[in-house]
Amino acid sequence: MRLHEYQAKNVFADAGIPTPEATLASSVDEVVEAAEDIGYPVAVKAQVHVGGRGKAGGIKLAENKAEAEEYAEDILGMDLKGYHVERVLVEEAVNFKNELYVGVTMDRGEGKPVAMVSSKGGVDIESVAEETPEAIAREHVDPAFGMHPYQARKAVYEAGVPREVALDVASILQTLYQLWDDRDASEIEVNPLMITEDDEVIAADAVMNIDDDALFRQSDLAEMEEETYEDELEKKAGEYGFDYVRLDGNVGIIGNGAGLVMTTLDLVDYYGGTPANFLDIGGGAKAERVANALDMVFSDENVDSVVFNIFGGITRGDEVAKGINDALGQFDEIPKPVVVRLAGTRAEEGREILNDELVQVEETLEDAVQGAVKNAEGGQ
Amino acid sequence: MSVLVDEDTRVVVQGITGGEGKFHTAQMMDYGTNVVAGAVPGKGGQEVEGVPVYDTVEEAAREEDADASVVFVPPAFAADAVFEGLDAPLDLVVAITEGIPTQDMAKVHKRLGEVDTRLIGPNCPGIITPGEAKLGILPGNIFESGNVGLVSRSGTLTYQVVDNLTSRGIGQTTAIGIGGDPIIGTDFIDALELFEQDKDTQAVVMCGEIGGEDEEEAAQYIAQNMDTPVAGFIAGRTAPPGKRMGHAGAIVSGSGTGTAESKINALNDAGVPVGDTPNEVADHIEDFL
């Protein structure tokens, strides 16, 4: 789960990290009112879950009322990389002489959290990491013990943070680590962390992503979740609780287990088709869930054909077959041809149940995928 | 022959009184697994499937001389259950649970460096030595005893590849599902090392997927340390960058590492043929034997 900038900044501010004065606004009038309260210049910042908002026109600096109005009109309602902007953060523009980067994430290779500091802030940190990795100081943390203050200082000095603010930045890094640990973050960062003319340090942006698997013990953060989706189908997938990714092909793919579903996508491509989606029904799916999966894929208008690939371990073939029959039985005419391949637990029982007037049944993965690719060609 | 588990492995089921725990205890026992105890706090003294239940893993291990456990404990309590298995102490803990918070696993990972216990998983189908024992949820009937080792990040993909092997008469020594989470216990290199040392394992299948750099590191290990031939499969060639595909690990960062291409190239460079389809993996294994 990803927090919006304004939400993350509230969390940071509560933890004692300085943030600029700011107000959330959802109309032009509210933007102007907030800007007048804060005093010009102000930054008007789109609150959507995409990176590179500034470059995409989602962040603008207003020097006066006319500009605040103009930018509010520009940004509110705009389409930013597929997301509709409904709210902006109106924020005091900070005069800075320097921009830093600080963050904490999980180093999966090491199995440990790693704190990072760079004196090259304010830019895309991924390209800094790629082009000048030495510009980022990294400090691994013992997850059972937590971060020693000396480690935060070490990273800050290594990164070449100016002496006047080094201890303040170290203290902010320590606070970020504490938040990361307490709030089950998967990623937490401030970029840029601004150093003002008066040597104050202020978090001008805030990123905080929470581990979805840990939301059960972060209920206050879970309540902040404001799902935004790129399209209606992904929204539907969220409601059904599927792992679903929409792609741009025309062969709809449903399967169980991430590895097998990815493999099915790859085979569709291998046999000359193009996958329309990734949809994992997960383990142990019952008939209703299977029917929901078919509903999802049928409602994608790009889909010309569907392949169902189930290799049951926990998932039972007869249960899947029942779901497919139920879902297809509701139609007078099947909207798109469906190929089904059932293997593993109770697969034989499943194949017996399957109504082969409604679906094409194949024994092997290869035959099923090739069948679906052929059907898709016919549908175009 | 086999690695890690066989008919003598004495197994405790952690979470045996839950739905999954109970069902798979019966399945494991049907397969021949020597399940000697269950462990569930507060349920000591009960019996499940004829197996005595203890309040603690330590007591179960002591009373029933157990040396391994399978964890079917819900995610919120699963890391604690794994710690309990490590401290009992057992030789092997297999964590089936999906959805354990990553920070819990980071703490487990740290502890693993300090103990002799081996962890498999979490979020994995488990481990099976065909004809002898299975610890986990794998469908036993598709496996057959033989001389090919298998290690995989994905459960259902494991079943698919095993099916391709078994259907042409190629059996397996042991199959290890290591799990698709970002932080796991036993990794590819650990499993490959076990197979390299097992005199009965004559070839190994390694199934990886996009995300992380474990396959690239495994490729290096294979080139430098293995005489046993390895064939590979990498899922996620068609995955678009930046999208997460189910497994926590299966995300492509877009920065040139962790992609299917970089993994396939690394394996090819290490002399490991990578199948375009699971069936082709079986072709390569057939060539080796």
Side-chain angles (χ1 to χ4, degrees), chain A residues 19 77 100 102 134 174 182 184 216 219 236 244 306 315 351:
Chain A
T19 57
L100 309 172
V102 288
E134 68 284 355
Q174 182 95 29
D182 291 345
D184 278 300
F216 67 86
S219 49
K236 206 169 187 176
Y244 174 85
V306 180
T315 307
R351 282 196 294 270

Side-chain angles (χ1 to χ4, degrees), chain B residues 12-282:
Chain B
V12 181
V13 178
Q14 296 183 245
I16 197 170
T17 51
E20 294 285 325
K22 196 174 172 203
F23 177 75
H24 288 289
T25 296
Q27 297 276 309
M28 286 190 282
M29 290 174 77
D30 271 355
Y31 195 73
T33 310
N34 196 7
V35 178
V36 296
V40 181
K43 302 282 171 78
Q46 299 184 8
E47 257 189 21
V48 173
E49 302 291 336
V51 170
V53 180
Y54 295 88
D55 287 310
T56 68
V57 177
E58 189 188 12
E59 194 186 359
R62 190 175 63 234
E63 296 298 322
E64 306 294 340
D65 197 23
D67 50 16
S69 79
V70 191
V71 177
F72 288 105
V73 172
F77 315 103
D80 186 49
V82 171
F83 278 119
E84 191 180 359
L86 302 185
D87 287 347
L90 300 170
D91 296 334
L92 177 72
V93 174
V94 180
I96 307 301
T97 311
E98 181 179 350
I100 302 179
T102 307
Q103 298 203 9
D104 291 3
M105 278 311 301
K107 293 185 176 83
V108 168
H109 190 265
K110 153 84 176 168
R111 184 82 182 117
L112 282 172
E114 302 161 349
V115 298
D116 292 328
T117 308
R118 175 184 293 279
L119 172 70
I120 291 177
N123 188 15
C124 78
I127 174 170
I128 185 167
T129 292
E132 297 198 32
K134 70 160 178 166
L135 278 64
I137 59 176
L138 315 101
N141 61 319
I142 61 168
F143 292 85
E144 198 173 285
S145 183
N147 53 13
V148 175
L150 192 140
V151 53
S152 172
R153 268 168 74 176
S154 154
T156 46
L157 180 54
T158 306
Y159 310 160
Q160 175 65 47
V161 173
V162 165
D163 202 44
N164 287 105
L165 293 173
T166 302
S167 68
R168 54 175 93 183
I170 302 172
Q172 305 89 42
T173 46
T174 298
I176 308 173
I178 57 175
D181 278 2
I183 300 180
I184 54 174
T186 297
D187 61 15
F188 280 125
I189 294 176
D190 301 327
L192 291 168
E193 194 173 12
L194 289 167
F195 287 129
E196 174 69 9
Q197 286 161 4
D198 177 41
K199 62 178 173 47
D200 290 324
T201 299
Q202 288 171 13
V204 180
V205 175
M206 174 181 145
C207 296
E209 63 188 27
I210 52 168
E213 288 168 17
D214 290 4
E215 290 83 352
E216 286 88 337
E217 285 165 17
Q220 256 189 342
Y221 173 84
I222 293 166
Q224 288 163 7
N225 302 288
M226 286 187 74
D227 293 324
T228 314
V230 181
F233 185 79
I234 301 293
R237 294 169 189 234
T238 48
K243 291 284 186 183
R244 173 179 287 198
M245 297 223 163
H247 278 173
I251 183 162
V252 180
S253 59
S255 63
T257 58
T259 61
E261 196 188 356
S262 69
K263 289 171 194 288
I264 292 167
N265 288 342
L267 286 166
N268 284 336
D269 289 347
V272 176
V274 178
D276 284 332
T277 69
N279 209 23
E280 268 185 40
V281 179

Side-chain angles (χ1 to χ4, degrees), chain A residues 170-186:
Chain A
S171 152
I172 287 172
L173 182 59
Q174 182 95 29
T175 305
L176 284 180
Y177 180 81
Q178 206 52 55
L179 280 174
W180 190 88
D181 193 41
D182 291 345
R183 309 315 308 259
D184 278 300
S186 51

